[in-house]
Amino acid sequence: MVKLDPQEYARRRRQLMDLMSPNSIAIIPSAPVTVRNRDVEHPFRQDSDFYYLSGFAEEHAALVLIPGREHGEYVIFCQEKIKEQEIWTGRRVGPEAAPEVLGADDAFPVTDIDDILPGLIEGKDRIYASLGVSPDFDRQLMQWVNHIKTQVRNGATPPHEFSALDHLLHEMRLIKSPAEVAVMQAAADISAEAHMRAMQMVKPGMMEYQLEAEIMRTFMAAGSRWPAYPSIVGAGDNACILHYTQNNQMIADGDLILIDAGCELDYYASDITRTFPANGRFSDEQRALYQLVLDSQYAAIAEVKAGNHWNQPHEAAVKVLVTGLIELGLLEGTVEENIESLAYRQFYMHKTGHWLGMDVHDVGEYRIDGEWRIQEPGMVMTVEPGLYIAPDDDSVDAKWRGIGIRIEDDVVVTKTGCHVLTSGIVKEIADIERVIAG
């Protein structure tokens, strides 16, 4: 399985510390453990920022960066190795092995954090943290600072500034390194295989969740433990529900099936949507709308290039969609009028993409000083136009109703244009029909 080299995490920590102001400290807690029901917990998934800097997947931990600290700039607080506990909950790295395994300069038991961390904070001018994300962490951080304040008469100096760590760290995460793109390519390849398997096994009379099960089987067989997000398998009218995840209806003859599913690999997401006919043949109306969405996606992908702004792919997709909807009689008036009035949002109500990375809707600003940000090499985004004709939309001819289509690929900006990570899954009408036919 493709994984990042430990030096990648060290490089990121160094880059972040170089961006921090002098005499400062950054504190990043691990993700909280969440209860599913009673004494059963949800599978633990590490906080993306924490993992981005450490590659450490254990819960109940904290990462501290202190640029210029004489005794080591990278400090980890983690759970101790206690044999009796490991029998129940699994093996731990432990503070003793953390320097070798994680590259930490110092490591302490997380149970000692209240005794040790105030001493690391004391005397620093600024704390970098992601405030407002975890109320429990916010309270704990203020307790540490307030403890220092109680020692002012003894010469202690509390920090006088708090800065949003997100501003620095999320801009770093927005630009992917070649190593990150390689992991994302591997995730995309696995997801493409899963979508192909769904096309190959579909037939009317199946349940939506049976296709979902095949997708999950393919993910896990290839080394991905989890989907990057809950899979959408919507047949017929369900394809018109953007975040449909019940996946519990029977697939009927004549249905289009919209599958939005992607695996996560070494904490990097993929995100693919394909739409195809359950019986292997598009109807005339399905074919017309599908080809329109596909044409709009090609137009959008052509606008993914360094120097263009973020919204140009969306603008290109909308223009193609509106033109086609007018030609099909689903919209009236000129292209310009329909775009200006947003009339097309009756059938296309979302943006054409989002950032992609460790989170499926990844971090990074879309505007800078009120202007759409400029695309740069290393940015990864989805390109996912769609059309959704509601089953109860009596403003259109009945033949169009209940058709939902979305086509989504993962695209990385390069120096010379872009590269589609998810090209391993077919999307031309003839190719889809051929795959389903076997």
Side-chain angles (χ1 to χ4, degrees):
M1 185 177 74
V2 179
K3 290 182 70 70
L4 293 179
D5 187 276
Q7 290 303 312
E8 183 85 3
Y9 300 106
R11 179 191 62 77
R12 294 167 179 174
R13 292 191 296 269
R14 182 74 269 153
Q15 182 181 353
L16 177 58
M17 286 190 285
D18 288 344
L19 294 170
M20 293 166 59
S21 62
N23 198 35
S24 61
I25 183 172
I27 307 170
I28 305 98
S30 63
V33 174
T34 55
V35 174
R36 181 183 186 274
N37 61 299
R38 199 166 171 80
D39 59 350
V40 177
E41 297 168 351
H42 282 286
F44 180 74
R45 199 274 190 186
Q46 188 59 276
D47 174 79
S48 294
D49 286 343
F50 185 98
Y51 196 85
Y52 181 79
L53 294 170
S54 68
F56 187 38
E58 288 185 23
E59 67 272 29
H60 304 302
L63 182 157
V64 182
L65 297 178
I66 314 169
R69 177 174 178 256
E70 182 179 353
H71 300 294
E73 300 175 308
Y74 172 31
V75 179
I76 278 283
F77 291 87
C78 60
Q79 297 176 90
E80 293 186 86
K81 285 184 68 66
I82 301 173
K83 184 176 181 180
E84 292 75 16
Q85 291 182 0
E86 288 186 315
I87 291 173
W88 291 93
T89 58
R91 299 179 182 88
R92 304 296 180 194
V93 170
E96 292 80 9
E100 179 181 354
V101 175
L102 303 175
D105 298 311
D106 257 335
F108 303 100
V110 71
T111 50
D112 294 342
I113 195 168
D114 289 336
D115 298 324
I116 296 173
L117 195 50
L120 298 177
I121 296 173
E122 195 276 324
K124 299 295 178 290
D125 295 328
R126 177 177 296 182
I127 296 177
Y128 288 90
S130 296
L131 298 174
V133 176
S134 168
D136 289 341
F137 172 72
D138 292 351
R139 282 192 295 270
Q140 192 173 28
L141 178 57
M142 292 315 301
Q143 288 172 0
W144 294 328
V145 173
N146 288 334
H147 175 76
I148 299 170
K149 289 181 178 179
T150 65
Q151 305 300 314
V152 169
R153 291 184 179 180
N154 296 327
T157 305
H160 52 79
E161 287 186 29
F162 289 86
S163 290
L165 180 65
D166 318 26
H167 178 69
L168 300 179
L169 190 54
H170 292 178
E171 285 297 299
M172 287 172 52
R173 282 179 53 187
L174 180 59
I175 307 297
K176 275 63 177 180
S177 69
E180 289 177 280
V181 172
V183 176
M184 296 186 73
Q185 180 67 73
D189 291 343
I190 294 171
S191 298
E193 181 184 353
H195 279 264
M196 290 292 286
R197 286 289 301 145
M199 287 186 194
Q200 290 164 349
M201 72 175 294
V202 68
K203 59 179 181 289
M206 293 181 68
M207 302 298 290
E208 293 167 337
Y209 55 70
Q210 290 178 291
L211 286 182
E212 181 184 13
E214 184 62 25
I215 288 166
M216 286 298 300
R217 187 204 67 79
T218 306
F219 287 174
M220 297 182 76
S224 167
R225 286 288 286 115
W226 316 110
Y229 52 94
S231 299
I232 296 169
V233 182
D237 294 354
N238 296 332
C240 297
I241 303 171
L242 298 184
H243 291 160
Y244 174 79
T245 55
Q246 285 82 0
N247 302 347
N248 60 4
Q249 298 300 303
M250 182 177 289
I251 299 168
D253 190 10
D255 278 351
L256 281 183
I257 304 167
L258 187 156
I259 296 182
D260 188 339
C263 77
E264 181 176 282
L265 190 67
D266 197 23
Y267 281 77
Y268 283 85
S270 57
D271 188 1
I272 304 175
T273 306
R274 289 294 186 268
T275 309
F276 53 90
N279 61 16
R281 297 292 295 178
F282 287 89
S283 71
D284 290 343
E285 290 75 25
Q286 292 169 350
R287 183 181 299 267
L289 291 178
Y290 184 93
Q291 189 62 53
L292 177 54
V293 174
L294 183 59
D295 290 343
S296 74
Q297 198 211 27
Y298 283 136
I301 291 174
E303 296 301 320
V304 179
K305 62 178 70 174
N308 281 3
H309 65 67
W310 160 259
N311 207 45
Q312 281 180 246
H314 178 68
E315 293 169 353
V318 167
K319 186 173 183 180
V320 172
L321 289 173
V322 169
T323 301
L325 289 170
I326 292 172
E327 291 174 354
L328 294 173
L330 289 162
L331 288 176
E332 297 179 351
T334 68
V335 172
E336 293 73 19
E337 289 169 345
N338 279 278
I339 292 176
E340 185 175 354
S341 67
L342 304 180
Y344 65 88
R345 297 194 67 175
Q346 177 181 353
F347 309 118
Y348 180 44
M349 59 291 294
H350 60 78
K351 280 287 190 179
T352 303
H354 53 77
W355 300 130
L356 184 69
M358 297 186 76
D359 299 316
V360 67
H361 289 170
D362 207 32
V363 296
E365 299 292 339
Y366 292 92
R367 289 180 181 269
I368 302 294
D369 296 328
E371 301 293 331
W372 293 114
R373 82 178 303 153
I374 301 301
Q375 299 174 40
E376 301 176 41
M379 291 178 172
V380 183
M381 65 184 74
T382 64
V383 180
E384 50 179 307
L387 288 173
Y388 316 90
I389 317 298
D392 59 352
D393 188 347
D394 57 10
S395 71
V396 302
D397 192 297
K399 66 182 181 179
W400 301 109
R401 298 175 197 165
I403 298 178
I405 298 166
R406 183 165 63 254
I407 307 170
E408 177 181 22
D409 283 295
D410 305 340
V411 184
V412 57
V413 182
T414 66
K415 293 180 179 178
T416 57
C418 69
H419 172 63
V420 179
L421 299 171
T422 47
S423 59
I425 171 70
V426 299
K427 57 185 177 183
E428 292 286 346
I429 290 175
D431 292 333
I432 290 172
E433 292 182 339
R434 173 181 51 78
V435 168
I436 297 175

